[in-house]
Amino acid sequence: MMISPNTLVILLGSTALGTCCGLVGALMLLKRRALLADAIAHSTLPGICIAFLLGGSRSLAVLGVGALLSALLSATLVSWLPRITRIRKDAATACVLGILFGAGIALVGIIQRSGLGGSAAGLDGLLLGRTAGMLRSEALLFGISAMMMSLIIISLRKELLVSCFDPRFGLSAKIPARSIDFLQTSLLAATIVIALPAVGVVLTAALVVIPAAAGRFWTDRFDVLLAISALIGAASGLIGTLLSSLHSNLPAGPVIVLSATTLFIISLLLAPGRGWISRHMQQRSRLQDRQVRQFLDGILSSELEESSLVVLKRQPVTTAAIDRRNLVVSSRNGWIETDSQRIQLTPEGRRRAVRARKALQIWREWLTSEASIDRDLIDLDEQDIEKILPPDLIDTLQRSIDHRGTS
Amino acid sequence: MERHGSAECSRDLGGPPLNSPAIEIHDLTVSYREKPVLWDIDATIPEGSLCAIVGPNGAGKSTLLSAILGTIHPASGWLKIFDQEVGKSQELIGFVPQRESVDWDFPVDVLDVVLMGTYSKLGWFRRPGKAQRDWAMECLEQVGMADLKKRQVGELSGGQQQRVFIARSLAQDARLILMDEPFAGVDAATEEAIRLVLLDLKKKGRTVVLVHHDLQTIENFFDHVLLLNLRLVAAGPTAEIFTGENLLRTYGGRLTLLDEAAEAVRRIRTGRSRTGRDQ
């Protein structure tokens, strides 16, 4: 397959665009303003229509100016409404989105019926996005703007970090949080406007938000999140545009967003640590650990009660009974020895069981004896209490357990 | 700790203050919409003191911190920080936010947060480099958190989270450190750890002003108190100000809190030794 120079420029343009969307989206996600992207994108429609009616042309530059103006109007409304009225931020966002998009749809209807229909086809393209008909100069312009905005974000990420994480600290860090905030919103508006021709009014917000949401599964670092989110955005832009250029009847917007969605689903499932599968496995192995521990504890109890080291295999050891998996896991690890009749703890197994029992006792004591506790981080399954509680506290707790035991 | 506290108090009581005030508040009134949340506050907090802002819920404690921090503007009156107008010397102020106001899921690790303290000296566009990272590590060591530098902030305990932000103030070389309820929801061991850090800050001559809830721990620890309930009830050295009468004036009328106030008053009357029992 040959790629024409025209297509190449468009591909590069949409890759740059995706990068920019990913970066801006990450910032919005961290500011918890993802919905603003949606509101701004939808409310560009009336601006585009009015620009079309006034300018009488479908040149992207003219329409872009209209889009940018109404994007800024909606951003201003969303930030002002909660301040001057009792409407809350989420409601204000929804109102602005609905009202302006509604006005836009009405205007589109008027334009289509008013005999300007032929050129109104260009407006349809803006609803769902079309890269195929894009001129090389347009793609170049948008690509370069996207790259410049990306550069601004990358070089200002220290300031943006403060603005997102702890804006009140801005004054102390000599960072004007308000201006940075304003810059951030402006970047969002501008990004959306340049993304419109490719992705369309309806789906632009998705290209802004999805890469960032996907990136969040992979990292716990700000810089890395920006990088991954930009990468996912870029890949979506590239793949989507490529696919839609191969099949002329596929609109670019949905395909780009579907590419992003695919990457999102991959991240959601496969990302180590935060991904669904990884979480599920962690939880499962914790559950298993706990069961094995209870199993060993059960054997320990039987051994202690009968003051014998031998336990019959059939004997109900715990309420959890003898689970085959527990047996297999324990003997594979060398914690128990079995023959056809008996299960017996190995010295190592006994050490483990005793240790676990002791830890459990201390946790119990700790939960009941400390009046106000910082239990966020306490993992009651954690056997290495020494890692969490200070040693003197463990001593105290142990002493109070012993004391109760003897009295 | 007891000895330390009383020594400070007696110094503060004797003669004119040695230091210029860290914070000077004059006729300060702040209002949200039409409702005043702080009314005609006049107070002075000397440099090097450990000062608690105390009062019932909705007394305007956090608002006062925000006014000092410069994030809200007074309706009337003024504040001076180290003899300068608010906004002129904000890089001297370190801020430890209230626990609930921080997004703990935010993708930053411990070192990232402490590095923010170096931003004010870096200026636009410049990124923190090795020098800044070394300095940040030094500050983390001072609060005993160097081992946890790579932890995401949400994976820390409440006390550790507080200490990270204290380290950020150190990195910033802040002379005044504001803390919004650092002791809220932390366990006894953590509370002790934070106290030690605070005493250390005091020893280094930094001024620490914090919003505090627990009346029972004020006596032996803070050398200054500011009793607040929309208006200023009283402010000054703890030994003078922290009296039963003042507390009742601060909390009076709020029945649910009366018990706590009464308890604190009883403590004061039955001698001022609590530290002894704690150990």
Side-chain angles (χ1 to χ4, degrees), chain A residues 185-243:
Chain A
T185 312
S186 311
L187 284 173
L188 174 67
T191 304
I192 285 171
V193 168
I194 61 168
L196 283 179
V199 195
V201 169
V202 186
L203 290 174
T204 295
L207 182 59
V208 173
V209 178
I210 293 175
R216 193 67 188 86
F217 285 106
W218 296 94
T219 180
D220 267 332
R221 298 293 303 281
F222 180 72
D223 287 2
V224 185
L225 175 64
L226 286 184
I228 294 179
S229 172
L231 210 67
I232 293 177
S236 314
L238 182 68
I239 297 169
T241 310
L242 202 60
L243 289 179

Side-chain angles (χ1 to χ4, degrees), chain A residues 12 18 58 73 101 112 133 169 216 280 306 320 328 358 381:
Chain A
L12 288 178
R58 43 175 286 207
L73 172 73
F101 188 57
Q112 277 170 343
F169 182 66
R216 193 67 188 86
H280 187 72
E306 299 179 10
V328 173
K358 213 171 135 187
D381 274 344

Side-chain angles (χ1 to χ4, degrees), chain A residues 57-181:
Chain A
S57 92
R58 43 175 286 207
S59 105
L60 284 180
V62 173
L63 300 185
V65 171
L68 189 62
L69 287 178
S70 70
L72 290 175
L73 172 73
S74 77
T76 316
L77 282 178
V78 169
S79 83
W80 271 98
L81 274 179
R83 257 187 261 168
I84 56 171
T85 66
R86 285 186 158 261
I87 303 173
R88 294 203 187 181
K89 201 145 199 165
D90 57 334
T93 312
C95 285
V96 170
L97 186 156
I99 293 167
L100 289 179
F101 188 57
I105 295 286
L107 284 170
V108 170
I110 290 171
I111 291 169
Q112 277 170 343
R113 243 173 283 158
S114 64
L116 299 160
S119 41
L123 291 185
D124 287 350
L126 281 175
L127 268 181
L128 285 181
R130 228 175 46 158
T131 48
M134 205 186 269
L135 300 176
R136 196 199 297 195
S137 60
E138 290 167 347
L140 209 59
L141 176 70
F142 292 144
I144 289 173
S145 321
M147 269 193 282
M148 272 165 46
M149 286 198 278
S150 305
L151 275 179
I152 293 177
I153 292 173
I154 290 167
S155 52
L156 280 178
R157 58 192 193 282
K158 160 172 130 270
E159 286 75 11
L160 290 164
L161 170 62
V162 170
S163 151
C164 289
F165 178 62
D166 191 1
R168 286 219 276 172
F169 182 66
L171 277 172
S172 307
K174 285 191 176 163
I175 289 169
R178 281 206 161 188
S179 314
I180 295 289
D181 197 61

